[in-house]
Amino acid sequence: SSSAPPRMGRRRRLLVEDHYRVDAETKSLLPGLPIDDDENDARDLHDFFNLIALVPVVVLNIINWDWDVLIDGNKTLKQAWTGQYFPLFFATTVGYFVADLIWVIQIPTCVKSPAVIVQHHVATLIYLLVPYMHPQDTGWLMGACLIVEINTWLLIARRVFNKQGFGPWVIDLSLFSIRVKLISIFFYVTWISIRCFLYPVIWRLLWSLWYDDYKEGVIFNTKYAFALGLHSIFCCLNFKWTFDLFMSKLRAWKIGGHAKVEKGL
């Protein structure tokens, strides 16, 4: 009721606040970036590092796939994976995550939630032990999972090039506006297709592979059981981030903030 005393203690912080402005009372999305981002040189430098360092990771991943086979709906991900440049892809990926992990530990102000980033990178490096130990059987798994770095790159690019919070859905034919709109649109397309669709598909594939081993009496192995456990964590994180984003947008609509959502997303 209106006469109830105010709640004491700190408000639970949403992970979505790392990349969006969120109204403190309604938890709805607001246009632009978090206010303290504008003058955060440490974060800007870290963002530019990621925009550059993620490019070879993404490119090397792409060229390890046979795209004709991948597009063929009758083939599996493993059949589409060539692994021709796997050693270079693996070394580049590990190098990126190790470098970024050290950066965040040494300069925690370069990100909004350093603890989350550190935990994520440590879990990723542990996950990478699977394709390291079984490159022939699980190289495809590494490639499929790391497709998500396309979305990560777009997320960072969206923050770097759209500090003003211009909306992707408003018609404006300026060159800058078109660039911002394309980045935002591809960000949401890859978020849904990779984080919400591909990752659960990979989980289902890992479950099937583990269950095949289980039926043969192998309950735990480093190829599939280990990967299944770690992949489950990443799926939960993706759904958590998606839920926070969706609920913030929904709250904005409920309070009549359609224009704000347009500009903020």
mmCIF file with all atom_site columns, all heavy atoms in Angstrom, residues 224-244:
data_model
loop_
_atom_site.group_PDB
_atom_site.id
_atom_site.type_symbol
_atom_site.label_atom_id
_atom_site.label_alt_id
_atom_site.label_comp_id
_atom_site.label_asym_id
_atom_site.label_entity_id
_atom_site.label_seq_id
_atom_site.pdbx_PDB_ins_code
_atom_site.Cartn_x
_atom_site.Cartn_y
_atom_site.Cartn_z
_atom_site.occupancy
_atom_site.B_iso_or_equiv
_atom_site.pdbx_formal_charge
_atom_site.auth_seq_id
_atom_site.auth_comp_id
_atom_site.auth_asym_id
_atom_site.auth_atom_id
_atom_site.pdbx_PDB_model_num
ATOM 1   N N   . TYR A 1 224 ? 31.767 -35.428 -23.191 1.00 0.00 ? 224 TYR A N   1
ATOM 2   C CA  . TYR A 1 224 ? 30.384 -34.990 -23.242 1.00 0.00 ? 224 TYR A CA  1
ATOM 3   C C   . TYR A 1 224 ? 29.769 -34.656 -21.880 1.00 0.00 ? 224 TYR A C   1
ATOM 4   O O   . TYR A 1 224 ? 29.071 -33.655 -21.756 1.00 0.00 ? 224 TYR A O   1
ATOM 5   C CB  . TYR A 1 224 ? 29.535 -36.031 -23.961 1.00 0.00 ? 224 TYR A CB  1
ATOM 6   C CG  . TYR A 1 224 ? 30.041 -36.336 -25.351 1.00 0.00 ? 224 TYR A CG  1
ATOM 7   C CD1 . TYR A 1 224 ? 30.302 -37.639 -25.758 1.00 0.00 ? 224 TYR A CD1 1
ATOM 8   C CD2 . TYR A 1 224 ? 30.292 -35.308 -26.257 1.00 0.00 ? 224 TYR A CD2 1
ATOM 9   C CE1 . TYR A 1 224 ? 30.778 -37.918 -27.038 1.00 0.00 ? 224 TYR A CE1 1
ATOM 10  C CE2 . TYR A 1 224 ? 30.771 -35.574 -27.532 1.00 0.00 ? 224 TYR A CE2 1
ATOM 11  C CZ  . TYR A 1 224 ? 31.014 -36.888 -27.917 1.00 0.00 ? 224 TYR A CZ  1
ATOM 12  O OH  . TYR A 1 224 ? 31.495 -37.146 -29.174 1.00 0.00 ? 224 TYR A OH  1
ATOM 13  N N   . ALA A 1 225 ? 30.010 -35.455 -20.863 1.00 0.00 ? 225 ALA A N   1
ATOM 14  C CA  . ALA A 1 225 ? 29.428 -35.179 -19.552 1.00 0.00 ? 225 ALA A CA  1
ATOM 15  C C   . ALA A 1 225 ? 29.950 -33.850 -18.999 1.00 0.00 ? 225 ALA A C   1
ATOM 16  O O   . ALA A 1 225 ? 29.192 -33.018 -18.500 1.00 0.00 ? 225 ALA A O   1
ATOM 17  C CB  . ALA A 1 225 ? 29.750 -36.312 -18.582 1.00 0.00 ? 225 ALA A CB  1
ATOM 18  N N   . PHE A 1 226 ? 31.257 -33.652 -19.106 1.00 0.00 ? 226 PHE A N   1
ATOM 19  C CA  . PHE A 1 226 ? 31.887 -32.424 -18.641 1.00 0.00 ? 226 PHE A CA  1
ATOM 20  C C   . PHE A 1 226 ? 31.352 -31.225 -19.426 1.00 0.00 ? 226 PHE A C   1
ATOM 21  O O   . PHE A 1 226 ? 30.986 -30.186 -18.862 1.00 0.00 ? 226 PHE A O   1
ATOM 22  C CB  . PHE A 1 226 ? 33.401 -32.552 -18.809 1.00 0.00 ? 226 PHE A CB  1
ATOM 23  C CG  . PHE A 1 226 ? 34.186 -31.423 -18.218 1.00 0.00 ? 226 PHE A CG  1
ATOM 24  C CD1 . PHE A 1 226 ? 34.088 -31.103 -16.881 1.00 0.00 ? 226 PHE A CD1 1
ATOM 25  C CD2 . PHE A 1 226 ? 35.046 -30.684 -19.014 1.00 0.00 ? 226 PHE A CD2 1
ATOM 26  C CE1 . PHE A 1 226 ? 34.825 -30.064 -16.340 1.00 0.00 ? 226 PHE A CE1 1
ATOM 27  C CE2 . PHE A 1 226 ? 35.783 -29.638 -18.483 1.00 0.00 ? 226 PHE A CE2 1
ATOM 28  C CZ  . PHE A 1 226 ? 35.671 -29.332 -17.148 1.00 0.00 ? 226 PHE A CZ  1
ATOM 29  N N   . ALA A 1 227 ? 31.288 -31.380 -20.758 1.00 0.00 ? 227 ALA A N   1
ATOM 30  C CA  . ALA A 1 227 ? 30.793 -30.303 -21.610 1.00 0.00 ? 227 ALA A CA  1
ATOM 31  C C   . ALA A 1 227 ? 29.321 -30.013 -21.337 1.00 0.00 ? 227 ALA A C   1
ATOM 32  O O   . ALA A 1 227 ? 28.894 -28.845 -21.340 1.00 0.00 ? 227 ALA A O   1
ATOM 33  C CB  . ALA A 1 227 ? 30.988 -30.670 -23.078 1.00 0.00 ? 227 ALA A CB  1
ATOM 34  N N   . LEU A 1 228 ? 28.541 -31.046 -21.088 1.00 0.00 ? 228 LEU A N   1
ATOM 35  C CA  . LEU A 1 228 ? 27.112 -30.868 -20.833 1.00 0.00 ? 228 LEU A CA  1
ATOM 36  C C   . LEU A 1 228 ? 26.880 -30.026 -19.581 1.00 0.00 ? 228 LEU A C   1
ATOM 37  O O   . LEU A 1 228 ? 26.021 -29.133 -19.570 1.00 0.00 ? 228 LEU A O   1
ATOM 38  C CB  . LEU A 1 228 ? 26.438 -32.231 -20.683 1.00 0.00 ? 228 LEU A CB  1
ATOM 39  C CG  . LEU A 1 228 ? 24.921 -32.224 -20.463 1.00 0.00 ? 228 LEU A CG  1
ATOM 40  C CD1 . LEU A 1 228 ? 24.198 -31.590 -21.645 1.00 0.00 ? 228 LEU A CD1 1
ATOM 41  C CD2 . LEU A 1 228 ? 24.419 -33.657 -20.244 1.00 0.00 ? 228 LEU A CD2 1
ATOM 42  N N   . GLY A 1 229 ? 27.652 -30.297 -18.530 1.00 0.00 ? 229 GLY A N   1
ATOM 43  C CA  . GLY A 1 229 ? 27.505 -29.529 -17.298 1.00 0.00 ? 229 GLY A CA  1
ATOM 44  C C   . GLY A 1 229 ? 27.837 -28.061 -17.495 1.00 0.00 ? 229 GLY A C   1
ATOM 45  O O   . GLY A 1 229 ? 27.083 -27.174 -17.064 1.00 0.00 ? 229 GLY A O   1
ATOM 46  N N   . LEU A 1 230 ? 28.959 -27.782 -18.160 1.00 0.00 ? 230 LEU A N   1
ATOM 47  C CA  . LEU A 1 230 ? 29.363 -26.399 -18.385 1.00 0.00 ? 230 LEU A CA  1
ATOM 48  C C   . LEU A 1 230 ? 28.412 -25.689 -19.346 1.00 0.00 ? 230 LEU A C   1
ATOM 49  O O   . LEU A 1 230 ? 28.067 -24.518 -19.142 1.00 0.00 ? 230 LEU A O   1
ATOM 50  C CB  . LEU A 1 230 ? 30.788 -26.353 -18.932 1.00 0.00 ? 230 LEU A CB  1
ATOM 51  C CG  . LEU A 1 230 ? 31.895 -26.645 -17.909 1.00 0.00 ? 230 LEU A CG  1
ATOM 52  C CD1 . LEU A 1 230 ? 33.231 -26.834 -18.604 1.00 0.00 ? 230 LEU A CD1 1
ATOM 53  C CD2 . LEU A 1 230 ? 31.985 -25.514 -16.893 1.00 0.00 ? 230 LEU A CD2 1
ATOM 54  N N   . HIS A 1 231 ? 27.977 -26.405 -20.368 1.00 0.00 ? 231 HIS A N   1
ATOM 55  C CA  . HIS A 1 231 ? 27.077 -25.778 -21.335 1.00 0.00 ? 231 HIS A CA  1
ATOM 56  C C   . HIS A 1 231 ? 25.734 -25.436 -20.684 1.00 0.00 ? 231 HIS A C   1
ATOM 57  O O   . HIS A 1 231 ? 25.095 -24.443 -21.057 1.00 0.00 ? 231 HIS A O   1
ATOM 58  C CB  . HIS A 1 231 ? 26.856 -26.702 -22.534 1.00 0.00 ? 231 HIS A CB  1
ATOM 59  C CG  . HIS A 1 231 ? 26.261 -25.995 -23.709 1.00 0.00 ? 231 HIS A CG  1
ATOM 60  N ND1 . HIS A 1 231 ? 26.987 -25.180 -24.549 1.00 0.00 ? 231 HIS A ND1 1
ATOM 61  C CD2 . HIS A 1 231 ? 24.982 -25.960 -24.172 1.00 0.00 ? 231 HIS A CD2 1
ATOM 62  C CE1 . HIS A 1 231 ? 26.194 -24.685 -25.476 1.00 0.00 ? 231 HIS A CE1 1
ATOM 63  N NE2 . HIS A 1 231 ? 24.975 -25.138 -25.271 1.00 0.00 ? 231 HIS A NE2 1
ATOM 64  N N   . SER A 1 232 ? 25.320 -26.228 -19.739 1.00 0.00 ? 232 SER A N   1
ATOM 65  C CA  . SER A 1 232 ? 24.080 -25.939 -19.015 1.00 0.00 ? 232 SER A CA  1
ATOM 66  C C   . SER A 1 232 ? 24.175 -24.602 -18.294 1.00 0.00 ? 232 SER A C   1
ATOM 67  O O   . SER A 1 232 ? 23.208 -23.826 -18.249 1.00 0.00 ? 232 SER A O   1
ATOM 68  C CB  . SER A 1 232 ? 23.779 -27.049 -18.009 1.00 0.00 ? 232 SER A CB  1
ATOM 69  O OG  . SER A 1 232 ? 23.589 -28.288 -18.650 1.00 0.00 ? 232 SER A OG  1
ATOM 70  N N   . ILE A 1 233 ? 25.354 -24.315 -17.728 1.00 0.00 ? 233 ILE A N   1
ATOM 71  C CA  . ILE A 1 233 ? 25.566 -23.042 -17.033 1.00 0.00 ? 233 ILE A CA  1
ATOM 72  C C   . ILE A 1 233 ? 25.437 -21.878 -18.003 1.00 0.00 ? 233 ILE A C   1
ATOM 73  O O   . ILE A 1 233 ? 24.774 -20.870 -17.715 1.00 0.00 ? 233 ILE A O   1
ATOM 74  C CB  . ILE A 1 233 ? 26.947 -23.030 -16.352 1.00 0.00 ? 233 ILE A CB  1
ATOM 75  C CG1 . ILE A 1 233 ? 27.004 -24.087 -15.249 1.00 0.00 ? 233 ILE A CG1 1
ATOM 76  C CG2 . ILE A 1 233 ? 27.267 -21.638 -15.797 1.00 0.00 ? 233 ILE A CG2 1
ATOM 77  C CD1 . ILE A 1 233 ? 28.384 -24.247 -14.631 1.00 0.00 ? 233 ILE A CD1 1
ATOM 78  N N   . PHE A 1 234 ? 26.058 -22.015 -19.182 1.00 0.00 ? 234 PHE A N   1
ATOM 79  C CA  . PHE A 1 234 ? 25.991 -20.933 -20.167 1.00 0.00 ? 234 PHE A CA  1
ATOM 80  C C   . PHE A 1 234 ? 24.569 -20.743 -20.682 1.00 0.00 ? 234 PHE A C   1
ATOM 81  O O   . PHE A 1 234 ? 24.139 -19.612 -20.941 1.00 0.00 ? 234 PHE A O   1
ATOM 82  C CB  . PHE A 1 234 ? 26.950 -21.213 -21.322 1.00 0.00 ? 234 PHE A CB  1
ATOM 83  C CG  . PHE A 1 234 ? 28.394 -20.982 -20.976 1.00 0.00 ? 234 PHE A CG  1
ATOM 84  C CD1 . PHE A 1 234 ? 29.283 -22.035 -20.888 1.00 0.00 ? 234 PHE A CD1 1
ATOM 85  C CD2 . PHE A 1 234 ? 28.861 -19.701 -20.718 1.00 0.00 ? 234 PHE A CD2 1
ATOM 86  C CE1 . PHE A 1 234 ? 30.610 -21.826 -20.549 1.00 0.00 ? 234 PHE A CE1 1
ATOM 87  C CE2 . PHE A 1 234 ? 30.182 -19.470 -20.387 1.00 0.00 ? 234 PHE A CE2 1
ATOM 88  C CZ  . PHE A 1 234 ? 31.070 -20.530 -20.304 1.00 0.00 ? 234 PHE A CZ  1
ATOM 89  N N   . CYS A 1 235 ? 23.821 -21.825 -20.835 1.00 0.00 ? 235 CYS A N   1
ATOM 90  C CA  . CYS A 1 235 ? 22.426 -21.707 -21.256 1.00 0.00 ? 235 CYS A CA  1
ATOM 91  C C   . CYS A 1 235 ? 21.607 -20.954 -20.212 1.00 0.00 ? 235 CYS A C   1
ATOM 92  O O   . CYS A 1 235 ? 20.782 -20.090 -20.546 1.00 0.00 ? 235 CYS A O   1
ATOM 93  C CB  . CYS A 1 235 ? 21.820 -23.085 -21.498 1.00 0.00 ? 235 CYS A CB  1
ATOM 94  S SG  . CYS A 1 235 ? 22.345 -23.873 -23.040 1.00 0.00 ? 235 CYS A SG  1
ATOM 95  N N   . CYS A 1 236 ? 21.851 -21.258 -18.950 1.00 0.00 ? 236 CYS A N   1
ATOM 96  C CA  . CYS A 1 236 ? 21.140 -20.565 -17.868 1.00 0.00 ? 236 CYS A CA  1
ATOM 97  C C   . CYS A 1 236 ? 21.471 -19.081 -17.854 1.00 0.00 ? 236 CYS A C   1
ATOM 98  O O   . CYS A 1 236 ? 20.590 -18.234 -17.655 1.00 0.00 ? 236 CYS A O   1
ATOM 99  C CB  . CYS A 1 236 ? 21.492 -21.199 -16.520 1.00 0.00 ? 236 CYS A CB  1
ATOM 100 S SG  . CYS A 1 236 ? 20.811 -22.844 -16.268 1.00 0.00 ? 236 CYS A SG  1
ATOM 101 N N   . LEU A 1 237 ? 22.745 -18.749 -18.070 1.00 0.00 ? 237 LEU A N   1
ATOM 102 C CA  . LEU A 1 237 ? 23.140 -17.341 -18.129 1.00 0.00 ? 237 LEU A CA  1
ATOM 103 C C   . LEU A 1 237 ? 22.448 -16.633 -19.288 1.00 0.00 ? 237 LEU A C   1
ATOM 104 O O   . LEU A 1 237 ? 21.950 -15.505 -19.129 1.00 0.00 ? 237 LEU A O   1
ATOM 105 C CB  . LEU A 1 237 ? 24.657 -17.219 -18.281 1.00 0.00 ? 237 LEU A CB  1
ATOM 106 C CG  . LEU A 1 237 ? 25.497 -17.418 -17.025 1.00 0.00 ? 237 LEU A CG  1
ATOM 107 C CD1 . LEU A 1 237 ? 26.985 -17.421 -17.379 1.00 0.00 ? 237 LEU A CD1 1
ATOM 108 C CD2 . LEU A 1 237 ? 25.205 -16.317 -16.004 1.00 0.00 ? 237 LEU A CD2 1
ATOM 109 N N   . ASN A 1 238 ? 22.407 -17.271 -20.447 1.00 0.00 ? 238 ASN A N   1
ATOM 110 C CA  . ASN A 1 238 ? 21.754 -16.664 -21.605 1.00 0.00 ? 238 ASN A CA  1
ATOM 111 C C   . ASN A 1 238 ? 20.280 -16.409 -21.348 1.00 0.00 ? 238 ASN A C   1
ATOM 112 O O   . ASN A 1 238 ? 19.740 -15.349 -21.690 1.00 0.00 ? 238 ASN A O   1
ATOM 113 C CB  . ASN A 1 238 ? 21.911 -17.566 -22.831 1.00 0.00 ? 238 ASN A CB  1
ATOM 114 C CG  . ASN A 1 238 ? 23.305 -17.502 -23.420 1.00 0.00 ? 238 ASN A CG  1
ATOM 115 O OD1 . ASN A 1 238 ? 24.018 -16.518 -23.266 1.00 0.00 ? 238 ASN A OD1 1
ATOM 116 N ND2 . ASN A 1 238 ? 23.708 -18.569 -24.096 1.00 0.00 ? 238 ASN A ND2 1
ATOM 117 N N   . PHE A 1 239 ? 19.607 -17.364 -20.731 1.00 0.00 ? 239 PHE A N   1
ATOM 118 C CA  . PHE A 1 239 ? 18.186 -17.181 -20.433 1.00 0.00 ? 239 PHE A CA  1
ATOM 119 C C   . PHE A 1 239 ? 17.981 -16.112 -19.357 1.00 0.00 ? 239 PHE A C   1
ATOM 120 O O   . PHE A 1 239 ? 17.007 -15.358 -19.408 1.00 0.00 ? 239 PHE A O   1
ATOM 121 C CB  . PHE A 1 239 ? 17.558 -18.510 -20.004 1.00 0.00 ? 239 PHE A CB  1
ATOM 122 C CG  . PHE A 1 239 ? 17.282 -19.432 -21.153 1.00 0.00 ? 239 PHE A CG  1
ATOM 123 C CD1 . PHE A 1 239 ? 17.813 -20.711 -21.191 1.00 0.00 ? 239 PHE A CD1 1
ATOM 124 C CD2 . PHE A 1 239 ? 16.502 -19.025 -22.217 1.00 0.00 ? 239 PHE A CD2 1
ATOM 125 C CE1 . PHE A 1 239 ? 17.574 -21.561 -22.260 1.00 0.00 ? 239 PHE A CE1 1
ATOM 126 C CE2 . PHE A 1 239 ? 16.241 -19.861 -23.292 1.00 0.00 ? 239 PHE A CE2 1
ATOM 127 C CZ  . PHE A 1 239 ? 16.787 -21.138 -23.307 1.00 0.00 ? 239 PHE A CZ  1
ATOM 128 N N   . LYS A 1 240 ? 18.899 -16.041 -18.403 1.00 0.00 ? 240 LYS A N   1
ATOM 129 C CA  . LYS A 1 240 ? 18.822 -15.014 -17.369 1.00 0.00 ? 240 LYS A CA  1
ATOM 130 C C   . LYS A 1 240 ? 18.946 -13.626 -17.979 1.00 0.00 ? 240 LYS A C   1
ATOM 131 O O   . LYS A 1 240 ? 18.149 -12.721 -17.690 1.00 0.00 ? 240 LYS A O   1
ATOM 132 C CB  . LYS A 1 240 ? 19.919 -15.258 -16.332 1.00 0.00 ? 240 LYS A CB  1
ATOM 133 C CG  . LYS A 1 240 ? 20.196 -14.104 -15.381 1.00 0.00 ? 240 LYS A CG  1
ATOM 134 C CD  . LYS A 1 240 ? 18.994 -13.748 -14.520 1.00 0.00 ? 240 LYS A CD  1
ATOM 135 C CE  . LYS A 1 240 ? 19.358 -12.643 -13.542 1.00 0.00 ? 240 LYS A CE  1
ATOM 136 N NZ  . LYS A 1 240 ? 18.160 -12.143 -12.814 1.00 0.00 ? 240 LYS A NZ  1
ATOM 137 N N   . TRP A 1 241 ? 19.961 -13.437 -18.837 1.00 0.00 ? 241 TRP A N   1
ATOM 138 C CA  . TRP A 1 241 ? 20.154 -12.138 -19.483 1.00 0.00 ? 241 TRP A CA  1
ATOM 139 C C   . TRP A 1 241 ? 18.975 -11.797 -20.389 1.00 0.00 ? 241 TRP A C   1
ATOM 140 O O   . TRP A 1 241 ? 18.539 -10.652 -20.433 1.00 0.00 ? 241 TRP A O   1
ATOM 141 C CB  . TRP A 1 241 ? 21.456 -12.150 -20.288 1.00 0.00 ? 241 TRP A CB  1
ATOM 142 C CG  . TRP A 1 241 ? 22.678 -12.258 -19.437 1.00 0.00 ? 241 TRP A CG  1
ATOM 143 C CD1 . TRP A 1 241 ? 22.837 -11.818 -18.156 1.00 0.00 ? 241 TRP A CD1 1
ATOM 144 C CD2 . TRP A 1 241 ? 23.924 -12.872 -19.795 1.00 0.00 ? 241 TRP A CD2 1
ATOM 145 N NE1 . TRP A 1 241 ? 24.091 -12.107 -17.694 1.00 0.00 ? 241 TRP A NE1 1
ATOM 146 C CE2 . TRP A 1 241 ? 24.784 -12.748 -18.670 1.00 0.00 ? 241 TRP A CE2 1
ATOM 147 C CE3 . TRP A 1 241 ? 24.396 -13.491 -20.953 1.00 0.00 ? 241 TRP A CE3 1
ATOM 148 C CZ2 . TRP A 1 241 ? 26.088 -13.237 -18.688 1.00 0.00 ? 241 TRP A CZ2 1
ATOM 149 C CZ3 . TRP A 1 241 ? 25.692 -13.975 -20.965 1.00 0.00 ? 241 TRP A CZ3 1
ATOM 150 C CH2 . TRP A 1 241 ? 26.534 -13.852 -19.842 1.00 0.00 ? 241 TRP A CH2 1
ATOM 151 N N   . THR A 1 242 ? 18.455 -12.790 -21.092 1.00 0.00 ? 242 THR A N   1
ATOM 152 C CA  . THR A 1 242 ? 17.312 -12.559 -21.978 1.00 0.00 ? 242 THR A CA  1
ATOM 153 C C   . THR A 1 242 ? 16.076 -12.174 -21.168 1.00 0.00 ? 242 THR A C   1
ATOM 154 O O   . THR A 1 242 ? 15.331 -11.261 -21.541 1.00 0.00 ? 242 THR A O   1
ATOM 155 C CB  . THR A 1 242 ? 17.010 -13.822 -22.808 1.00 0.00 ? 242 THR A CB  1
ATOM 156 O OG1 . THR A 1 242 ? 18.169 -14.164 -23.571 1.00 0.00 ? 242 THR A OG1 1
ATOM 157 C CG2 . THR A 1 242 ? 15.835 -13.594 -23.750 1.00 0.00 ? 242 THR A CG2 1
ATOM 158 N N   . PHE A 1 243 ? 15.875 -12.848 -20.046 1.00 0.00 ? 243 PHE A N   1
ATOM 159 C CA  . PHE A 1 243 ? 14.723 -12.549 -19.190 1.00 0.00 ? 243 PHE A CA  1
ATOM 160 C C   . PHE A 1 243 ? 14.811 -11.129 -18.646 1.00 0.00 ? 243 PHE A C   1
ATOM 161 O O   . PHE A 1 243 ? 13.817 -10.387 -18.650 1.00 0.00 ? 243 PHE A O   1
ATOM 162 C CB  . PHE A 1 243 ? 14.665 -13.561 -18.036 1.00 0.00 ? 243 PHE A CB  1
ATOM 163 C CG  . PHE A 1 243 ? 13.547 -13.303 -17.065 1.00 0.00 ? 243 PHE A CG  1
ATOM 164 C CD1 . PHE A 1 243 ? 12.244 -13.664 -17.364 1.00 0.00 ? 243 PHE A CD1 1
ATOM 165 C CD2 . PHE A 1 243 ? 13.796 -12.682 -15.842 1.00 0.00 ? 243 PHE A CD2 1
ATOM 166 C CE1 . PHE A 1 243 ? 11.202 -13.426 -16.474 1.00 0.00 ? 243 PHE A CE1 1
ATOM 167 C CE2 . PHE A 1 243 ? 12.771 -12.433 -14.947 1.00 0.00 ? 243 PHE A CE2 1
ATOM 168 C CZ  . PHE A 1 243 ? 11.465 -12.814 -15.264 1.00 0.00 ? 243 PHE A CZ  1
ATOM 169 N N   . ASP A 1 244 ? 15.998 -10.729 -18.169 1.00 0.00 ? 244 ASP A N   1
ATOM 170 C CA  . ASP A 1 244 ? 16.166 -9.375  -17.642 1.00 0.00 ? 244 ASP A CA  1
ATOM 171 C C   . ASP A 1 244 ? 15.876 -8.326  -18.710 1.00 0.00 ? 244 ASP A C   1
ATOM 172 O O   . ASP A 1 244 ? 15.209 -7.321  -18.461 1.00 0.00 ? 244 ASP A O   1
ATOM 173 C CB  . ASP A 1 244 ? 17.597 -9.178  -17.119 1.00 0.00 ? 244 ASP A CB  1
ATOM 174 C CG  . ASP A 1 244 ? 17.827 -9.851  -15.772 1.00 0.00 ? 244 ASP A CG  1
ATOM 175 O OD1 . ASP A 1 244 ? 16.829 -10.263 -15.142 1.00 0.00 ? 244 ASP A OD1 1
ATOM 176 O OD2 . ASP A 1 244 ? 18.992 -9.969  -15.356 1.00 0.00 ? 244 ASP A OD2 1
#
